[in-house]
Amino acid sequence: MKKILIIDDEVNVALLLSKFLTRNGFEVTTASTGSIGMEYLKNGEFNLVLCDFRLEDTDGREMLKNIKTQYPKTGVIIITGYSDIKMAVELIKMGAYDYITKPLYPDEILNTITKAIETHYALVEDKVEQPANTDKASKENKKQGLGSEFVLGTSKVSRELQRQIELVAPTNYSVIIMGESGTGKESVAKSIHLNSPRYNQPFVAMDCGSLTKELAASEFFGHEKGSFTGALYTKIGHFEMANGGTLFLDEVGNLSYEIQAALLRTVQERKVKRIGSTKEISLDVRIIIATNENLQEGIQKGRFREDLYHRFNEFSIYIPPLRERGTDIMLLADHFLKRANNELGRSVTSFSPEVTECFMNYRWQGNVREMKNVIRRATLLTEGTEITMKTLPLEISNFKMPVYDYSSQIDTVEVKENRHDLKNAALEAEYETILKVLREVNFNKTKAAEILNIDRKTLYNKMKAINIK
């Protein structure tokens, strides 16, 4: 059960919030002053603090500063009866998840709290504790990829992915991250942000796939109170929230053509105007987008603007699916097992040999996200210290690798009559070596490329050249 601390000197507000959140499955503690709230934080661990900005003994800015300094793993939402946009932006840059004005609406507050806990938990759970607080230590940690959510792999494709992250992170380039659903595109985006000069500025993530056409403009650019029906308060858009930092747009291919046009203007001019306002706000935002669709195909079909695509595509990164990451599979499994143990308070230490073999052969259509959920479930069901086959879902425990007759798909390489021709002999030897390795790994091209000490693209080209289909 997630624990929430409410700090508000208005007893009625604190009581109503406490009852509402308790009914929705949270464990709630209330405090009427900042000093009492800090005592509660000292004596117990909370996932989130809801803090009123104006308190009898302090204010929200000072409380936020103290909480983030002493309890960095605790998320903070500031609540106030006054709408001050400059203050909101300042608090978010100081580390607050959000800034909400009264009156509070149940659906809105519950949605914000749920997202805050999920987002903040994801941001802090993988961070490595820093050594001495020196610039040298900080730079060394960044160089090694520490403090990043992305799990460093040992496979060739993972090393290449990490190299690209380290290459583009220090720049201000806009980045397109491509990959199947569940491969960890947001984690890679956060890694780029945390290893960039903007690491201490906001990282704001936005799921474009869940936006309706009507709400998209308000979510991107914000709105003024009363600018349209239902605009009961002034809202800061995601661009403004991310000012100085990084804005991550997930599934950007789902945006309507009209919103794409408005987005293009903002990206080009680096200025944003809230709905209902005439004032333009200058932006300093790095944009990272993610997609599991082929945006170039979307351009050809008229679903995605070509000019917007080229604005985003200053650098592109492809994340391979989990089934192609070879030696990384069990490395990731161990990582998620540790996370599940911490979350559930368990002491599961390993996977049985059968589970290891199953994990290595399974197709992982849901990629890293699927593995994380499978291991969390298995950890919960495991009674001893080892995860066994009986704790896995049936679709995984019953999975059988399909057996194909590859011989019918392989054409014989054309060989010249001159058997002593060196070029022809080399071609024949290369053909036999590649074919032998492919058969040994059941035609897993990623594993074959690793054994042959070449990258996948080179392997594909060689297979095509020597006619292995």
Side-chain angles (χ1 to χ4, degrees), residues 93-243:
K93 287 187 176 182
M94 286 175 62
Y97 175 78
D98 210 341
Y99 177 100
I100 303 175
T101 55
K102 297 175 183 177
L104 304 177
Y105 298 93
D107 289 343
E108 178 196 348
I109 193 72
L110 183 60
N111 184 50
T112 303
I113 287 171
T114 303
K115 285 184 177 180
I117 290 175
E118 289 176 353
T119 302
H120 197 77
Y121 178 71
L123 277 171
V124 301
E125 65 183 346
D126 288 331
K127 289 186 180 179
V128 178
E129 187 176 347
Q130 303 291 325
N133 186 21
T134 64
D135 290 340
K136 184 177 179 182
S138 177
K139 288 179 182 176
E140 187 61 26
N141 283 347
K142 282 190 177 186
K143 184 179 178 182
Q144 295 175 11
L146 301 180
S148 164
E149 285 196 2
F150 186 70
V151 179
L152 300 178
T154 58
S155 69
K156 192 167 185 176
V157 291
S158 290
R159 293 197 303 271
E160 173 61 20
L161 179 57
Q162 180 62 21
R163 188 188 72 83
Q164 291 185 24
I165 291 172
E166 291 174 353
L167 187 67
V168 77
T171 72
N172 275 321
Y173 285 7
S174 296
V175 181
I176 296 180
I177 302 175
M178 298 168 286
E180 293 180 7
S181 180
T183 49
K185 295 187 285 292
E186 184 168 349
S187 292
V188 170
K190 287 175 183 173
S191 293
I192 293 171
H193 172 74
L194 291 171
N195 286 278
S196 77
R198 299 171 181 263
Y199 71 95
N200 59 349
Q201 297 296 322
F203 176 89
V204 178
M206 186 174 182
D207 181 8
C208 300
S210 63
L211 290 177
T212 63
K213 182 179 177 181
E214 293 73 20
L215 287 177
S218 174
E219 291 295 318
F220 273 119
F221 314 121
H223 64 251
E224 296 290 346
K225 182 179 179 181
S227 57
F228 55 86
T229 304
L232 303 176
Y233 55 92
T234 298
K235 177 183 177 65
I236 302 173
H238 283 67
F239 269 102
E240 202 172 341
M241 288 172 62
N243 207 0

Side-chain angles (χ1 to χ4, degrees), residues 397-438:
S397 60
N398 291 341
F399 179 79
K400 302 292 182 185
M401 279 291 289
V403 178
Y404 300 108
D405 180 11
Y406 288 106
S407 59
S408 63
Q409 300 179 36
I410 302 170
D411 295 336
T412 303
V413 65
E414 294 181 10
V415 181
K416 297 177 183 178
E417 290 183 6
N418 182 3
R419 306 296 295 183
H420 300 293
D421 183 276
L422 286 177
K423 189 174 181 181
N424 190 63
L427 184 66
E428 224 182 331
E430 191 171 79
Y431 173 85
E432 293 297 337
T433 302
I434 291 175
L435 187 56
K436 180 176 180 292
V437 171
L438 283 169

Side-chain angles (χ1 to χ4, degrees), residues 275-409:
I275 298 172
S277 173
T278 57
K279 180 183 176 182
E280 285 191 329
I281 301 166
S282 296
L283 296 174
D284 173 23
V285 178
R286 182 183 196 168
I287 299 174
I288 301 177
I289 72 164
T291 179
N292 59 14
E293 297 181 12
N294 187 331
L295 292 182
Q296 290 183 322
E297 187 178 303
I299 291 169
Q300 293 173 357
K301 294 182 178 180
R303 294 198 309 265
F304 199 82
R305 293 182 64 106
E306 185 173 8
D307 46 8
L308 183 60
Y309 172 79
H310 290 302
R311 283 287 175 182
F312 287 147
N313 193 29
E314 293 181 319
F315 193 89
S316 61
I317 291 177
Y318 171 71
I319 307 178
L322 181 57
R323 59 186 172 275
E324 294 183 6
R325 290 181 61 178
T327 54
D328 294 342
I329 290 176
M330 292 315 298
L331 183 71
L332 283 161
D334 289 334
H335 169 73
F336 288 128
L337 179 58
K338 290 176 184 175
R339 283 174 57 169
N341 279 328
N342 290 336
E343 180 185 349
L344 302 171
R346 308 299 292 272
S347 300
V348 183
T349 58
S350 60
F351 302 90
S352 71
E354 295 79 14
V355 170
T356 299
E357 184 180 2
C358 178
F359 278 10
M360 293 298 292
N361 291 325
Y362 184 59
R363 303 307 295 161
W364 296 113
Q365 296 298 330
N367 291 294
V368 178
R369 186 183 297 126
E370 181 185 7
M371 173 181 274
K372 175 184 174 182
N373 292 335
V374 166
I375 292 176
R376 286 178 74 218
R377 175 186 184 274
T379 304
L380 184 64
L381 294 174
T382 297
E383 296 177 356
T385 59
E386 184 180 72
I387 289 179
T388 60
M389 293 294 288
K390 68 179 182 181
T391 63
L392 302 183
L394 289 176
E395 65 268 20
I396 296 181
S397 60
N398 291 341
F399 179 79
K400 302 292 182 185
M401 279 291 289
V403 178
Y404 300 108
D405 180 11
Y406 288 106
S407 59
S408 63
Q409 300 179 36

